[in-house]
Amino acid sequence: MQTRPPIPRAILVGVQVPGVDDVAHAASLEELGRLVKTLGYEVVGMISQKRDELDGATVLGKGRLEELAAITGGTGAVGSMAIQRKSKARERFEDAGERKPDARQMEPDPEAPPRPAFVIVDHDISPSQARNLERATGAQVLDRTGVIVEIFHRHAHSREAKLQVEMARLKYIAPRLRESSAGGERQQGYGAGESDLELDRRKIRDRLAELKQQLDDIQRDNDQRRSARRDQLRVALVGYTNAGKSSLMRALTGSDVLVANKLFATLDTTVRALQPEAKPRVLVSDTVGFIKKLPHDLVASFRSTLAEALEASLLLFVVDASDPTYESQLEVSRNVLHEIGADVVPSRLILNKIDRVSEADRAALRAKYPDAILLSATSPEDVAALRETIIGFFEAAMVDDQLVLPYAKQGLLSDVYENARVLSEDYDTTGRIIRVRGLPGAIARLRRTLAAS
Ligand SMILES: Nc1nc2c(ncn2[C@@H]2O[C@H](COP(=O)(O)OP(=O)(O)OP(=O)(O)O)[C@@H](O)[C@H]2O)c(=O)[nH]1
Ligand SMILES: [Mg+2]
């Protein structure tokens, strides 16, 4: 009857702890909803509760938990589903949407939409909290990190990103494997019984070691490639996911990187020259986006990707100014940059998507962030002006100097042209006298190359 698998239905759960105001709490749930949609699930409702802390056994209080269980078709009690739990969530995962009605429903309405098979918690919860919630709700439970790891898993394209994500994913799965050993195949096919569990743990350890080795190799290559670019003029686009970094990358470099209205569209760093080319040319990199509560393992695994940002001379810090929560996005991004040590790199704040901001709000933004650049990645004039700003930034750091290229070393001329702007060329008995303008570091390196025998 059905030609396509049904869209899994999910219900969101959020706890508002002291210190988080209503707006931030709502925004966080809204963002979780977007993450869940990015996974391809349909969000059919949410349960939210104010609590003093998050570390209860079931995240939610008794009343709310029962309310949730009534929606998902569980019992609402932690103890009662333990026996029939094995691989039930898996089964539900496979035929989500056409579940048999719960035993408690004596006369199920055949017209009623299927119950949500997923409960998605807007916090990082412990494996035992997840297990308790699964028992009470009869649904599969994922937390924020689980959702993000899953999105990364689906969006990874390059070999490096795939390895990084697999590593983060195994690290996420491993402790859950231990806690839910009775859960059978629930964990992506891992673990079914004690001895298998041991085996799985060892497999995971071995695989992690293998992944680390492969990543180290790739990263060594990347380091070399990066250090070859060391003295070039480099700009990195950084910021919250969906802020418009890839859109600006396309507009500035004419490259065809993926632009998509989904979270974490970009997981790979792309480096392209600014177009039309500047002299010396400027390299622009697009990077993975940030998000609130970015899982630590993912930050760690993307550190090398973000090394691009670390080594740039200028960060274009992109913010979606049309997003009502842009301020918290700004703060989250600042924190991540601080965490990876990139907060020392000079940066310019780019308030993007300004085409979606009212004139009054624009004025307020200008007053609040006098140094920021307000623009729209979709406006060619704005992009051209940004290009001038980038060039201006490097121009200010450049110096004029003179290099002597001995006649025996004419082969190095292209190196000079690539790394500096040649102002004039002259000849005398020592060789070609070249007046150049460039970054002091690049000129110093050229001088060393020319002097070396
Ligand atoms: N209206 C408007 N939409 C924009 C602008 N810039 C980007 N967008 C849209 O915003 C969405 C996200 O853009 P991306 O460029 O993919 O964002 P990103 O920062 O690369 O996102 P990730 O790769 O997921 O971190 C897309 O739907 C873009 O079309 C803009 O200036 N104005
Ligand atoms: Mg992108």
Side-chain angles (χ1 to χ4, degrees):
M1 225 164 55
Q2 257 161 329
T3 49
R4 275 193 301 166
I7 296 171
R9 295 158 65 84
I11 183 151
L12 310 183
V13 167
V15 171
Q16 186 177 358
V17 290
V20 176
D21 64 28
D22 292 353
V23 176
H25 178 63
S28 182
L29 276 168
E30 203 262 342
E31 181 176 84
L32 181 69
R34 294 188 60 203
L35 285 166
V36 170
K37 272 185 218 141
T38 297
L39 265 188
Y41 297 0
E42 186 190 354
V43 177
V44 295
M46 57 178 79
I47 296 266
S48 156
Q49 183 175 30
K50 281 191 174 149
R51 297 196 90 185
D52 285 341
E53 52 182 18
L54 252 178
D55 44 353
T58 54
V59 186
L60 290 171
K62 191 167 179 293
R64 277 289 204 245
L65 184 61
E66 283 169 0
E67 207 178 299
L68 174 64
I71 301 171
T72 56
T75 60
V78 170
S80 55
M81 281 198 47
I83 307 148
Q84 44 165 308
R85 232 182 99 263
K86 186 165 173 171
S87 85
K88 209 167 169 212
R90 180 79 199 177
E91 179 189 306
R92 205 162 289 129
F93 181 78
E94 275 156 8
D95 59 16
E98 44 180 347
R99 278 187 56 204
K100 285 146 211 87
D102 194 86
R104 295 191 314 167
Q105 282 182 299
M106 294 314 284
E107 281 176 49
D109 175 1
E111 297 297 304
R115 292 176 182 280
F118 287 88
V119 167
I120 318 254
V121 185
D122 191 25
H123 311 273
D124 285 337
I125 57 176
S126 71
S128 68
Q129 283 176 318
R131 185 185 48 195
N132 289 339
L133 274 175
E134 290 194 341
R135 284 183 175 165
T137 60
Q140 185 167 352
V141 173
L142 271 179
D143 64 4
R144 198 174 231 269
T145 297
V147 172
I148 294 174
V149 167
E150 204 50 42
I151 293 174
F152 271 57
H153 177 64
R154 294 192 190 178
H155 290 182
H157 285 296
S158 72
R159 193 165 115 79
E160 182 181 17
K162 281 188 174 144
L163 294 175
Q164 282 166 333
V165 172
E166 188 184 345
M167 202 155 169
R169 201 160 177 247
L170 286 178
K171 284 184 183 167
Y172 179 77
I173 289 172
R176 281 156 183 84
L177 205 60
R178 178 177 339 122
E179 288 282 346
S180 58
S181 57
E185 334 151 73
R186 197 176 56 84
Q187 299 289 350
Q188 282 84 9
Y190 294 115
E194 209 51 50
S195 56
D196 284 353
L197 182 66
E198 276 306 318
L199 190 71
D200 285 340
R201 282 207 206 122
R202 204 185 61 221
K203 272 193 207 151
I204 289 185
R205 260 199 316 274
D206 292 351
R207 181 66 185 145
L208 279 173
E210 199 177 273
L211 286 170
K212 185 164 183 325
Q213 182 61 50
Q214 292 174 0
L215 269 173
D216 284 351
D217 292 347
I218 294 180
Q219 284 165 4
R220 204 168 317 115
D221 287 351
N222 288 351
D223 286 349
Q224 275 165 10
R225 217 170 309 146
R226 265 203 313 278
S227 81
R229 292 197 296 254
R230 200 180 40 222
D231 295 321
Q232 305 207 27
L233 314 185
R234 292 172 54 195
V235 184
L237 293 154
V238 295
Y240 212 76
T241 180
N242 211 48
K245 301 176 295 297
S246 298
S247 303
L248 278 171
M249 177 76 180
R250 271 178 171 233
L252 286 169
T253 67
S255 65
D256 56 356
V257 293
L258 173 71
V259 167
N261 193 15
K262 52 183 179 184
L263 305 182
F264 300 114
T266 305
L267 292 185
D268 300 306
T269 299
T270 310
V271 183
R272 294 280 184 279
L274 188 67
Q275 294 293 341
E277 257 192 36
K279 281 197 166 59
R281 67 178 183 162
V282 175
L283 296 179
V284 185
S285 12
D286 187 14
T287 62
V288 60
F290 307 141
I291 198 164
K292 190 165 72 75
K293 302 180 200 154
L294 188 67
H296 259 90
D297 277 332
L298 281 178
V299 178
S301 58
F302 279 83
R303 204 173 284 266
S304 77
T305 315
L306 290 167
E308 288 292 339
L310 270 174
E311 292 174 8
S313 316
L314 175 65
L315 297 183
L316 295 181
F317 189 166
V318 188
V319 173
D320 176 355
S322 73
D323 191 297
T325 64
Y326 78 93
E327 277 175 308
S328 76
Q329 299 192 358
L330 189 66
E331 193 186 321
V332 168
S333 307
R334 282 209 176 109
N335 289 341
V336 180
L337 288 175
H338 176 73
E339 222 174 294
I340 61 168
D343 51 348
V344 293
V345 181
S347 68
R348 290 298 305 267
L349 182 60
I350 310 282
L351 297 175
N352 187 32
K353 306 196 192 179
I354 211 70
D355 52 297
R356 302 211 304 217
V357 175
S358 72
E359 201 45 66
D361 287 346
R362 287 185 201 189
L365 285 171
R366 282 197 191 93
K368 191 161 181 191
Y369 303 100
D371 296 329
I373 300 169
L374 276 62
L375 59 69
S376 171
T378 52
S379 151
E381 301 84 61
D382 287 359
V383 173
L386 178 61
R387 180 179 175 276
E388 290 310 313
T389 304
I390 295 169
I391 292 173
F393 171 86
F394 287 111
E395 200 60 48
M398 285 194 239
V399 293
D400 288 0
D401 211 331
Q402 184 169 298
L403 296 168
V404 180
L405 185 64
Y407 288 114
K409 291 188 178 169
Q410 296 303 309
L412 293 173
L413 187 61
S414 63
D415 207 10
V416 175
Y417 268 86
E418 208 159 280
N419 291 289
R421 185 190 313 149
V422 174
L423 303 174
S424 66
E425 285 187 35
D426 233 323
Y427 304 87
D428 71 7
T429 50
T430 52
R432 204 189 285 241
I433 315 294
I434 313 173
R435 286 208 58 78
V436 292
R437 185 166 173 79
L439 291 183
I443 294 179
R445 194 184 58 78
L446 282 172
R447 196 184 300 286
R448 278 197 303 277
T449 316
L450 298 184
S453 50

